[in-house]
Amino acid sequence: FFSSSTWLFASRGGGGGGVDVALLEKDELEIGKKEAGFLIGERGFTKRKVQKVSNTRIEIADSTTNPETSIVCIRGTETNRAKARRYVAWVLRQPEGKIFCDLGDDVVRENVSVVDVPPEAMAFVVGAKGRTLRNVEEEYGTLMFFGHTEKDQPETSEKLIICGDRENRRGAELKVMSSVETKVEGYFVDYEKNELKQQLMQPGDGLKDGFSYDQFPFTEEEFSYAVGKFGKVRRKLAKASGCIMEYVGRVAIMAGNKEQRARCWDYTNWLMKQRRNNGTCSVDPSARNDCEICDVPGSIDLPRLQGNCHKVEEATGTFIFTTDFEKPVVEGEDKTLLICSHDASARRKARRMVEDLIDGRRDVFQDTRGRGRGGRGYIRGGSASQHNEACRNFQMGRCSRGNQCKYSHDVSAASTHASGGGAHRGGRGYDETHRNRHGATHTNGNTNGRGRPY
């Protein structure tokens, strides 16, 4: 700590009134005014990130006894307060540029990852005025800085220290590895095998609780397609699947639990199949629990609709594409869109937006937030606009729009369509028996030799 700072450990207890006693306990430390400003950071950013990684509440106020100092009050559980104290000490040492992180420290060792950054890539990782590193901190909710893990470590061999919970640390670690690999090709990736040179291993890995990572290698042609403009495709796949996903070289690293990784693997696989099949992929929606169906009449200009669907994907965090599971995609005939996401509410919102686009509404992207306050939002006007076609999502037990769905929820109508063939949405006639027979979470379509690695 700085010589002008004094630690005042004043743990206090309280209770009653149904308030969690642990949250009433606090530690106080006295620091200089200049140090307090550095701890708060620009617009309170530094204080907020320390609060987030330590899961505490931090308040900073002027000292009532010494006009030259400020009091930092840390509230939380005993373990979290200890973490916050350590993080605050590290933050206040940053102006000196000499931070020692003891990886054997019981207080923080389970919440710290270390990434080796070569000197030639350090400036690229940090960015101008530290903006790149700060952006990674903000994206993944971590605390990051360069420091030493050994006391006798040379000044030129600093490591990047990442503090936070396991999932966020892994995301930040992969983001930094991606930057390093961009600057120093071959540092982390073996391009002959198209995989990471070494297995990732940080505190929290190997606990056999389902959290792990998979590697999805791309060819050069596939990689440019998978990146997309300004990395939008990667962000879309990550958000829709609920999985951490970063590209290190030409290898996609997917980190999360087994369900998240399976979903991300499938979405990436489907994306590659779309590249080879003019934007179309054959996926059976009855075999999944993360899809919404949206019918597209044959009179709709499909390329124009698909262009607008990219905006819907970005606004809702979904993955939308045309499926030819039952019938080929032919110009002038009805088509089927699949809207995929781990988040059911995001899928429903995307479906409403796509249906509004099909109906010709021009204000779909104008205001996606304020329409719940009296406006009709993305829901059309009820039964007056209903079609005679049966709602396939209703038959599969997924429709949540009730009377405002544009397709029929009439069971007799659905039966009639189901017996009369597959020209309309009721033609497939999926029911719970069909779903249970095929498995609600079974995934298909991995025909390119890239089955999931488990």
Side-chain angles (χ1 to χ4, degrees), residues 12-223:
R12 301 171 185 175
V19 179
D20 188 355
V21 175
L23 293 179
L24 295 178
E25 297 178 347
K26 67 179 181 179
D27 289 346
E28 291 183 350
L29 49 136
E30 186 174 3
I31 61 177
K33 285 287 186 69
K34 185 177 180 180
E35 296 162 358
F38 187 78
L39 179 59
I40 293 172
E42 184 178 357
R43 299 180 181 178
F45 175 72
T46 304
K47 188 188 78 166
R48 287 197 301 272
K49 71 183 179 184
V50 173
Q51 286 183 136
K52 188 168 185 178
V53 297
S54 62
N55 196 24
T56 58
R57 187 173 66 193
I58 298 177
E59 299 168 348
I60 302 175
D62 293 339
S63 172
T64 57
T65 58
N66 188 345
E68 301 297 325
T69 62
S70 297
I71 302 297
V72 179
C73 178
I74 304 173
R75 297 180 183 272
T77 64
E78 182 178 358
T79 301
N80 290 340
R81 294 197 316 273
K83 293 178 185 177
R85 293 197 301 269
R86 193 75 81 249
Y87 296 151
V88 167
W90 287 341
V91 167
L92 296 182
R93 286 198 189 106
Q94 288 184 25
E96 293 183 346
K98 298 178 181 179
I99 303 175
F100 169 65
C101 178
D102 184 3
L103 299 182
D105 188 347
D106 291 339
V107 174
V108 295
R109 66 179 176 183
E110 295 300 322
N111 297 90
V112 172
S113 296
V114 179
V115 180
D116 186 18
V117 178
E120 56 268 35
M122 191 173 294
F124 186 72
V125 169
V126 174
K129 298 182 179 180
R131 290 194 186 99
T132 303
L133 207 61
R134 300 292 83 82
N135 289 340
V136 178
E137 288 181 321
E138 191 168 5
E139 179 178 355
Y140 285 105
T142 55
L143 173 65
M144 304 169 65
F145 53 87
F146 283 93
H148 298 110
T149 56
E150 299 176 6
K151 290 186 176 180
D152 56 350
Q153 196 171 338
E155 291 291 331
T156 57
S157 60
E158 288 186 317
K159 307 290 185 180
L160 181 61
I161 312 298
I162 306 175
C163 307
D165 61 34
R166 178 178 61 178
E167 289 77 9
N168 290 333
R169 280 188 287 113
R170 175 50 43 84
E173 174 190 13
L174 293 174
K175 179 74 78 174
V176 171
M177 289 174 61
S178 177
S179 297
V180 171
E181 191 64 29
T182 300
K183 190 67 174 178
V184 186
E185 188 173 288
Y187 194 80
F188 290 114
V189 176
D190 183 341
Y191 285 91
E192 291 185 1
K193 299 180 180 179
N194 211 11
E195 63 181 22
L196 295 180
K197 289 182 176 179
Q198 296 182 350
Q199 182 180 0
L200 300 180
M201 183 57 66
Q202 299 285 6
D205 290 335
L207 298 180
K208 297 182 179 181
D209 59 352
F211 182 82
S212 185
Y213 70 94
D214 296 328
Q215 302 184 53
F216 192 108
F218 295 111
T219 64
E220 287 191 32
E221 296 77 12
E222 290 175 334
F223 182 66

